[in-house]
Amino acid sequence: MFCGIVGFTGKNYQSAPILLKGLQKLEYRGYDSAGLFVSDQALGTDQLVKENGRVSELEKLVSSKNVTGNAGIAHTRWATHGVPSVNNAHPHVSADGRFYLVHNGVIENYIELKENYLKNVEFHSDTDTEVAVQLIDKFVKDGLTTFEALKKLISLLDNNSAYGFLLMDREEPERMYVAKQKSPLLIGIGSDFNVVTSDAVAMLDQTHDFIELHDGEIAIVDPDNVQLFAANGDAISREAFHLDIDATETDKGAYPFYMLKEIDEQPVVIRQLISRYLPKDGQPQIGEGIVKDMLAADRIYIIAAGTSYHAGLVGARLFERWAGIPTEVHVSSEFAYEQPLLSEKPFFIFLSQSGETADSREVLQNINAQGFKSLTLTNVEKSTLWREATYALPLLAGPEIAVASTKAYVAQVTLQAILAYALADREQLHLNLEQELSKIAIAIQGIIDDKEQLQEVAKNLLVESPNAFFIGRGIDSTVVLEAALKLKEISYVQTEGFAAGELKHGTLALIEEDTPVIAIMTQPRLAGLVRGNLAETQARGSKTYTIVTQKIATEEDDLVLPDVNELLTPLVSVVPAQLLAYYTSLERGLDVDHPRNLAKSVTVQ
Ligand code: G6P
């Protein structure tokens, strides 16, 4: 599972409301079911509450019961092993009710462990997590302490397994045991309490000071103390870091959905990137080491997944055309297991909103082992990909909560443009990037200010349609992939985006009366060809919509965007596509921020 985890322990606190609030903030990580276990040191009582569906359902159930307690653990689930159900929801409990465990990740060898150690134990769920908690119980019954039992459990998990474990023992009602491997977990430090969370945003109301836990480590967290241990059991110490994020950035305020808020924030994100990376007379400031190592490379490899991969497709053209460095873009889940032949002096760029995508991390670990240098561009400072790369730069997009990524794409393209600009011979380029990006921020604002017209287009063109197509050529052939992904993931309209020239090689067979075909055209040299392709679909009955730049616009075009530098047009043309997706989902009555079956941060492979 790549679920959300929070835990809290403090003297004189009620932990349930804190845990529920944390879970709400983590819902983007999974929302099939949720649960919590809370124990009350003073009363000597405890309670386990689990519910199918969203965190709000769990909240209702908790408020219908009298759940009190100063310490507790909680979880929101994205199902991998076993269907979403109350039984499969976490926390899982050992047979005699002593141990409670929440888990993020996948235990690959759980069936083998079950057969080897737990033959006679009755199971109540289909999860790998229940196997883990039953094993702890067994090892404690065999004479180990809880800490030793957790250590032993970890030693039995195979190398491919991933876990963020948060464990409570009824015999130590204020204590949390924590362990992690490949799955993010942080310990948050308070004055008279401590917390554990899989993502800092969930606990920002409580603290801004966090200790990272590294792979293989274990922690014991009490209200007034945190103990860290290396994998071999030796005590270690690590300073907390301070996270400078305003907790209100993670609220959606007056917006109906985070996605709309995040689309609206895009001009601000570009301005933040300008002021951080192009501060003085528009001269790029990104660190000498990065520039030196990138210029020494004979090829750049961009590694990413999902929307970040689409941002990489734009980046590749920027590095090639502006900096003259050959660049390849790879989907991380493929590169991890089929590494292509590399050039002599490769340099790797990891693009990741979350900094936690498991497939991308797999690649980073592989290339680290081969001794290659890398740079991570991520929205989450101190995330795994941030820590493990040679260099890291923040995307400065602010927390992105909606599952469908919007502002992270814009930030990734913008930052890659700044990097390519820093590597370029700027006199030859004849471009003032600072001015160009400012113009782009204004262009995006213009689209956002006029967004209601896109709501009408969504209603007339997409809401009733079972399918849709986006086409484009050149740089637009990359942005149509992102446009299609946005629409399909939140509206469930089956959508394909592809290079317009490919239409005739298969997809044209799918065009019927009223099939929506949306063309993005931003480059004069290719517009004629795309118009030709569009006409071919019209001849077969399609309903078309064109998104074009000013310099190629005709009376017939539907949405006209201001002209900007050709390679940067995706920053502008993606915005109407994001809004079309948003409004189609909204008009279909769907939960825009939480599309079915998906999660924001994919920490399993
Ligand atoms: C998930 C998210 C996408 C994201 C992708 C890669 O699928 O829903 O929005 O693009 O993961 O995530 P990353 O955090 O590495 O950018």
Side-chain angles (χ1 to χ4, degrees), residues 108-117 158:
E108 298 283 350
N109 57 334
Y110 78 107
I111 293 177
E112 188 189 316
L113 291 172
K114 197 170 164 180
E115 277 165 12
N116 289 351
Y117 291 91
D158 75 1

Side-chain angles (χ1 to χ4, degrees), residues 301 303 328 330 334-343 370:
Y301 293 82
I303 310 292
E328 295 177 15
H330 291 267
E334 284 302 311
F335 196 101
Y337 304 101
E338 291 271 338
Q339 183 171 301
L341 276 183
L342 299 179
S343 65
Q370 294 166 72

Side-chain angles (χ1 to χ4, degrees), residues 178 221 246 457 561 579:
V178 193
V221 180
D246 182 352
V457 178
L561 310 173
L579 286 161

Side-chain angles (χ1 to χ4, degrees), residues 464-486:
E464 303 292 335
S465 183
N467 57 1
F469 299 94
F470 281 89
I471 60 170
R473 285 176 184 248
I475 194 75
D476 304 325
S477 72
T478 69
V479 81
V480 293
L481 300 179
E482 177 57 11
L485 175 62
K486 276 311 76 115

